[in-house]
Amino acid sequence: MNKNILNALEHPQNALILFDYFHYSDWTFRVSDLAVDYDVLGTFVDSSTPFIVEYALVKVKSKDDLRGLLKTMVNHRNVLGIDEVKPLNSTYPRLISMVVRGDYADSTRYRAHILGGFEVNYSTSGGVEHWSFLFPSDSLVETFIGIISGNGEVRNVKRMSINTEELVAGMVRNRARLLLTSEEAALLRIAHRRGLFSNPKRVTITELARELGVSESTLSRRLNRAIRKLISIALDDDSPHVMPNMQ
């Protein structure tokens, strides 16, 4: 788990900041005319490595939008490499899983990281970046905004004091909604409500499989797949899909 969130958990009340950012020096500002929604599901940030890794879910409206996005990213100095472009469906609008390596020099994420900030959420669309970070103090928030204002324009800033444990629980729920399929989420809800996870159990997996009209082995396989995703979210927050190859 990210060391900055461990630091945040030591402070019951932290400063949460949400804002929009027109990052004039980044590739995100140069795709404002494309129909692209870029949502980051996880990151790998470690100053001992020469790059930052983003694991993103991208939605593009058309083939031209996808082509324009990739061309802009590949040719921008802030993008060191694109390690994965994996379509998740066959029609447009198309969902795509991407793994992107970025530079530290102009990174909003890294600037928050070195100040002890923890990234809660990041997405970009229409040339505007949407960020939220957790900081141990209001003074660090002010420092951070001052730093990033040198490369762009910060707008629509919202600040609040928040209970960290509640925030982390909410982040796990949001991440689960992104990574679980609708069928997996529904199956977990049914199993939970019927008491499969209770102690003692109120229903066995054999009984639940019979109720759902599937074999016991099929139900076990589907539950195990969904539960593995939840465990990866809870225990490996920085990289929900794969860790980068550091060799």
Side-chain angles (χ1 to χ4, degrees), residues 3-247:
K3 67 180 181 180
N4 283 356
I5 197 169
L6 295 177
N7 180 53
L9 286 169
E10 296 175 355
H11 300 80
Q13 293 295 324
N14 286 263
L16 178 67
I17 178 174
L18 303 89
F19 61 93
D20 295 334
Y21 187 39
F22 293 80
H23 196 168
Y24 300 140
S25 57
D26 196 33
W27 67 264
T28 57
F29 189 69
R30 302 188 181 188
V31 295
S32 59
D33 59 337
L34 302 180
V36 173
D37 296 320
Y38 184 97
D39 294 291
V40 171
L41 304 181
T43 62
F44 179 81
V45 183
D46 187 336
S47 56
S48 66
T49 66
F51 50 78
I52 295 171
V53 180
E54 285 185 343
Y55 305 89
L57 180 65
V58 186
K59 180 180 179 181
V60 293
K61 186 177 181 180
S62 70
K63 184 181 294 186
D64 288 340
D65 292 316
L66 176 57
R67 187 180 295 113
L69 171 66
L70 294 177
K71 181 179 179 180
T72 300
M73 294 180 72
V74 167
N75 291 319
H76 200 280
R77 61 182 176 81
N78 287 353
V79 177
L80 300 180
I82 300 177
D83 295 335
E84 177 182 277
V85 179
K86 181 180 179 181
L88 303 178
N89 63 335
S90 58
T91 60
Y92 289 92
R94 179 163 282 188
L95 292 175
I96 299 168
S97 171
M98 292 183 66
V99 180
V100 179
R101 283 179 287 119
D103 189 25
Y104 282 102
D106 191 23
S107 170
T108 304
R109 176 178 294 114
Y110 182 65
R111 288 168 176 174
H113 178 79
I114 61 177
L115 290 173
F118 174 74
E119 180 182 339
V120 177
N121 189 62
Y122 169 63
S123 65
T124 182
S125 59
V128 184
E129 300 179 359
H130 312 287
W131 290 97
S132 55
F133 288 101
L134 193 68
F135 284 94
S137 69
D138 288 326
S139 62
L140 289 172
V141 170
E142 293 296 336
T143 300
F144 171 68
I145 291 178
I147 292 173
I148 66 172
S149 294
N151 288 322
E153 183 177 351
V154 179
R155 296 184 187 176
N156 303 320
V157 178
K158 297 179 181 178
R159 311 180 197 211
M160 62 188 75
S161 178
I162 193 164
N163 181 283
T164 308
E165 292 182 356
E166 293 176 359
L167 177 65
V168 172
M171 288 169 55
V172 171
R173 288 193 296 271
N174 289 338
R175 188 80 43 95
R177 280 194 287 268
L178 285 169
L179 295 186
L180 292 176
T181 66
S182 58
E183 291 81 6
E184 288 169 339
L187 183 59
L188 287 173
R189 282 194 294 270
I190 291 170
H192 173 68
R193 290 169 182 168
R194 290 289 289 112
L196 183 66
F197 306 128
S198 300
N199 188 17
K201 292 181 179 180
R202 300 196 305 274
V203 67
T204 67
I205 195 163
T206 302
E207 293 168 336
L208 185 58
R210 189 181 305 119
E211 291 178 14
L212 296 175
V214 299
S215 69
E216 183 176 336
S217 62
T218 296
L219 179 59
S220 295
R221 184 175 64 255
R222 291 175 180 173
L223 281 171
N224 286 339
R225 184 170 57 236
I227 290 170
R228 282 198 301 271
K229 287 184 180 181
L230 291 179
I231 291 173
S232 72
I233 293 165
L235 298 184
D236 196 10
D237 185 75
D238 277 338
S239 47
H241 302 297
V242 293
M243 289 296 290
N245 184 352
M246 304 307 296
Q247 297 181 348

